[in-house]
């Protein structure tokens, strides 16, 4: 099995009734149906018992249920785009990414995100023989890239072959444009290949959604909750696949996957539950206790930055 890598950073469009997330029309129909199903599942998810105090603290919630989890996700994810959205054809011919405004005054303009891998938001730099890109937060990546150049970028979201694309201005990390990767539905990363609609498959994908949603948070040093390069000796040594904070994407993904797995007793086989627990442990292993600067890792400020107001 290849290593699992959730990338760090980066007619009308189909809108999921159970959420406020818009799915680009050029996402393949079968994949769009699965994503819609996943988002409906979290909207109505029956969590088992009380969430752990750590989960509530990291998520900033007073209680964890389907509604609060879905609302948390909807605040940070607004659009889902296809894996081909940033192809050479779409970038050069369709100009999917464009300059919306120049000479923009950004908040915290002179502050570089803390993690050593802040630059990796612009290219994943992955060896495809070793890793899968599962999802990427393109909105956060475009905001960070634009901030370096005093530019607000925009992105065209597909609304169908005969319809003008929706133009979305990336005013902050919470623009929430998430790109699906080749790994999200890959057989190698599907927990139950025999039953595509197995709840365990949705739990894995939803854990990834929550991971990417955290990249929509942060300001200044914490902007985008950028990943760090995993240190020597780590299973993911040399890859931008670790966090040097205690409340980042890998923490959020692990905690939410663990909470959903607890509620999977009646709907998941023992093998499925064990596989999900392994994935939780994999995410937890990427949370570094010490940063590249030799400092003890701590929680980062999740307050999102914005060029419209000081904060959203």
């Amino acid at each position: 099995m290849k290593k699992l890598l959730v990338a760090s950073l980066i007619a009308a469009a189909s809108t999921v009734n159970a959420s406020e997330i818009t799915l680009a029309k050029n996402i393949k129909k079968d994949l769009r149906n699965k994503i819609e199903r996943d988002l409906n599942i979290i909207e109505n998810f029956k969590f088992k018992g009380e969430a752990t105090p750590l989960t509530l603290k990291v998520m900033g919630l007073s209680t964890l249920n389907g509604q609060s989890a879905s609302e948390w996700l909807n605040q940070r994810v607004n659009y889902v785009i296809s894996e081909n959205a940033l192809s050479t054809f779409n970038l050069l011919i369709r100009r999917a990414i464009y300059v919306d405004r120049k000479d923009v005054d950004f908040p915290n303009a002179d502050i570089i995100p803390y993690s050593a891998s802040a630059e990796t938001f612009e290219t994943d730099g992955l060896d495809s023989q070793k890793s899968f890109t599962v999802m990427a937060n393109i909105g956060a990546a475009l905001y960070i890239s634009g901030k370096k150049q005093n530019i607000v970028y925009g992105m065209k979201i597909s609304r169908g072959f005969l319809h003008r694309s929706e133009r979305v201005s990336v005013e902050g990390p919470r623009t929430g444009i998430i790109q699906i990767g080749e790994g999200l539905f890959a057989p190698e990363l599907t927990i139950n290949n025999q039953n595509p609609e197995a709840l365990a498959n949705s739990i894995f994908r939803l854990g990834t959604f929550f991971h990417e949603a955290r990249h929509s948070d942060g300001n200044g040093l914490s902007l985008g909750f950028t990943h760090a390069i995993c240190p020597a000796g780590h299973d993911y040594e040399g890859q931008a696949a670790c966090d040097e904070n205690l409340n980042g994407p890998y923490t959020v993904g692990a905690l939410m996957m663990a909470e959903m797995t607890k509620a999977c007793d009646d709907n998941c086989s023992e093998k499925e539950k064990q596989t999900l627990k392994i994935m939780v442990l994999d995410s937890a292993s990427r949370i570094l206790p010490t940063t590249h600067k030799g400092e003890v890792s701590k929680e980062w400020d999740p307050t999102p930055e914005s060029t419209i107001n000081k904060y959203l």
Side-chain angles (χ1 to χ4, degrees), residues 2-3 126-131:
K2 295 184 180 181
K3 286 184 179 179
L126 303 181
D127 179 348
S128 61
Q129 297 304 309
K130 296 179 180 179
S131 307

Side-chain angles (χ1 to χ4, degrees), residues 39-213:
L39 295 174
N40 276 283
I41 283 175
I42 192 61
E43 171 87 3
N44 299 288
F45 202 87
K46 304 298 182 184
F47 289 92
K48 185 175 182 180
E50 294 293 327
T52 67
L54 178 60
T55 299
L56 296 177
K57 179 183 178 183
V58 168
M59 302 293 287
L61 298 174
S62 58
T63 185
L64 179 64
N65 53 40
Q67 180 179 352
S68 65
S70 185
E71 288 177 353
W72 191 95
L73 195 63
N74 291 344
Q75 289 172 358
R76 295 162 175 82
V77 178
N78 294 303
Y79 302 93
V80 179
I81 60 177
S82 75
E83 60 184 294
N84 299 317
L86 301 182
S87 67
T88 300
F89 175 79
N90 283 328
L91 290 176
L92 298 182
I93 306 302
R94 292 187 173 177
R95 299 185 182 275
I97 295 175
Y98 59 92
V99 174
D100 186 76
R101 298 200 310 279
K102 295 182 179 180
D103 301 320
V104 178
D105 291 326
F106 282 78
N108 305 313
D110 298 326
I111 299 178
I112 299 173
Y114 184 91
S115 290
S117 64
E119 297 293 331
T120 62
F121 249 127
E122 297 187 27
T123 174
D124 57 34
L126 303 181
D127 179 348
S128 61
Q129 297 304 309
K130 296 179 180 179
S131 307
F132 276 117
T133 299
V134 181
M135 275 184 163
N137 192 318
I138 300 302
L142 287 175
Y143 179 77
I144 291 174
S145 180
K147 182 176 179 178
K148 294 176 183 178
Q149 306 168 71
N150 297 107
I151 289 172
V152 169
Y153 281 109
M155 185 166 190
K156 299 175 183 176
I157 309 295
S158 171
R159 298 176 66 245
F161 181 68
L162 298 177
H163 298 267
R164 186 183 297 274
S165 297
E166 180 177 351
R167 298 170 70 90
V168 178
S169 179
V170 184
E171 301 278 0
R174 280 204 181 171
T175 303
I177 303 173
I178 308 297
Q179 182 181 27
I180 59 175
E182 74 276 11
L184 191 62
F185 302 99
E188 295 92 332
L189 297 181
T190 300
I191 296 176
N192 187 337
N193 280 301
Q194 309 302 291
N195 178 14
E197 295 189 356
L199 180 59
N201 294 335
S202 291
I203 289 176
F204 160 68
R205 292 193 293 264
L206 286 166
T208 306
F209 256 112
F210 280 99
H211 170 114
E212 289 304 326

Side-chain angles (χ1 to χ4, degrees), residues 76 143 172-174 216-219 223 301-306 309-312:
R76 295 162 175 82
Y143 179 77
R174 280 204 181 171
S216 296
D217 288 335
N219 65 89
L223 178 60
D301 180 6
T303 308
E305 207 171 87
S306 173
N309 300 305
K310 184 176 180 181
Y311 296 119
L312 289 173

Side-chain angles (χ1 to χ4, degrees), residues 11-60:
S14 173
T15 302
V16 184
N17 292 331
S19 77
E20 300 170 0
I21 300 172
T22 297
L23 307 185
K25 193 65 176 179
N26 58 357
I27 296 175
K28 296 176 183 177
K29 185 176 180 180
D30 60 327
L31 303 186
R32 190 165 66 245
N33 289 341
K34 289 179 181 179
I35 296 172
E36 289 177 344
R37 183 174 181 273
D38 291 343
L39 295 174
N40 276 283
I41 283 175
I42 192 61
E43 171 87 3
N44 299 288
F45 202 87
K46 304 298 182 184
F47 289 92
K48 185 175 182 180
E50 294 293 327
T52 67
L54 178 60
T55 299
L56 296 177
K57 179 183 178 183
V58 168
M59 302 293 287

